[in-house]
Amino acid sequence: RQYQKIIQELHKITDKIQDILDRAGEIKKIADHVYRKTCFLFLGRIYGFPPALEGALKLKEISYIHAEGYPAGEMKHGPIALTDRNTAVVGIMPLDPVYDKILSNIQEVKARKADIISIVTKGDKNTSNHADHIFEVPETLDELYGIITIVPMQLLSYYIAKNLGRDVDQPRNLAKSVTVE
């Protein structure tokens, strides 16, 4: 039964991604505000952690800004020591079973003056008190949030890199294919 729900939801995923792409201007406004930050921390829990890693990787690859993807529950073991007003923190915060825990993590980095960008489920009313920037994604199954939460992070990376004058089509030191091992 769970597989049937996932398959049904996957059939709707392209429309949800299109909804995000149609609102790319919202992401551009966020990028315009944070592109001068010297460090980015991408935080996620459970299904939000792999997209956090991908968001950090994409930002590093095309903007050349230091970025780390980190499991939000582990941020006290290192990244929080580096967090200050020069840091932007991207929190992947869908309304899932660990929402309250990541909200608490966001509050901790906010107390250290980081600029907070929260990627939340459409209709989330709790995060607005704790984030500087909010981008809403359509509701989906917990297992599928990674597919749709990565889209705004890719757009954020793109707009930050463009603001910095980077060549997003040919990032330095990256190969389009692997030719040697």
Side-chain angles (χ1 to χ4, degrees), residues 5 19 22 26 35 39 46 50-51 55 63 75 79 82 99 104 108 114 121 151 153 155 160 167-168 171 181:
K5 284 183 183 178
D19 172 69
D22 290 345
E26 294 174 40
Y35 77 98
C39 181
I46 305 178
S63 73
M75 70 170 199
L82 303 173
Y99 173 83
S104 174
E108 289 184 53
T121 304
V151 177
M153 289 185 285
L155 289 167
I160 287 171
D167 183 351
V168 296
E181 288 186 28

Side-chain angles (χ1 to χ4, degrees), residues 121-142:
T121 304
K122 203 171 272 187
D124 178 336
K125 302 293 183 217
N126 297 323
T127 307
S128 61
N129 297 331
H130 311 288
D132 300 293
H133 313 279
I134 294 175
F135 186 81
E136 294 182 333
V137 296
E139 185 176 353
T140 191
L141 297 174
D142 292 347

Side-chain angles (χ1 to χ4, degrees), residues 3-127:
Y3 292 118
Q4 290 172 341
K5 284 183 183 178
I6 292 172
I7 290 168
Q8 289 172 345
E9 190 63 20
L10 280 170
H11 286 296
K12 302 174 190 173
I13 212 82
T14 54
D15 289 338
K16 293 177 184 207
I17 291 171
Q18 188 61 55
D19 172 69
I20 294 167
L21 294 172
D22 290 345
R23 295 181 294 117
E26 294 174 40
I27 297 291
K28 175 147 182 17
K29 287 178 185 175
I30 296 169
D32 290 347
H33 183 79
V34 300
Y35 77 98
R36 289 188 178 102
K37 299 292 182 182
T38 57
C39 181
F40 279 72
L41 181 59
F42 290 75
L43 299 176
R45 284 178 173 262
I46 305 178
Y47 296 116
F49 176 53
L53 292 173
E54 177 62 20
L57 177 64
K58 190 57 62 191
L59 185 65
K60 283 186 264 197
E61 287 178 336
I62 65 173
S63 73
Y64 321 133
I65 296 173
H66 175 77
E68 287 186 59
Y70 224 77
E74 301 296 321
M75 70 170 199
K76 289 183 184 181
H77 300 291
I80 201 159
L82 303 173
T83 304
D84 61 19
R85 64 179 23 95
N86 297 313
T87 306
V89 175
V90 179
I92 300 140
M93 306 175 59
L95 289 173
D96 64 10
V98 293
Y99 173 83
D100 289 334
K101 289 182 178 187
I102 194 162
L103 183 60
S104 174
N105 298 130
I106 292 300
Q107 290 169 333
E108 289 184 53
V109 289
K110 181 67 177 164
R112 284 150 181 88
K113 309 294 186 217
D115 209 330
I116 308 298
I117 303 162
S118 293
I119 299 173
V120 302
T121 304
K122 203 171 272 187
D124 178 336
K125 302 293 183 217
N126 297 323
T127 307

Side-chain angles (χ1 to χ4, degrees), residues 158-170:
Y158 172 81
Y159 289 124
I160 287 171
K162 292 296 276 183
N163 283 349
L164 294 169
R166 310 293 194 244
D167 183 351
V168 296
D169 293 317
Q170 293 191 335

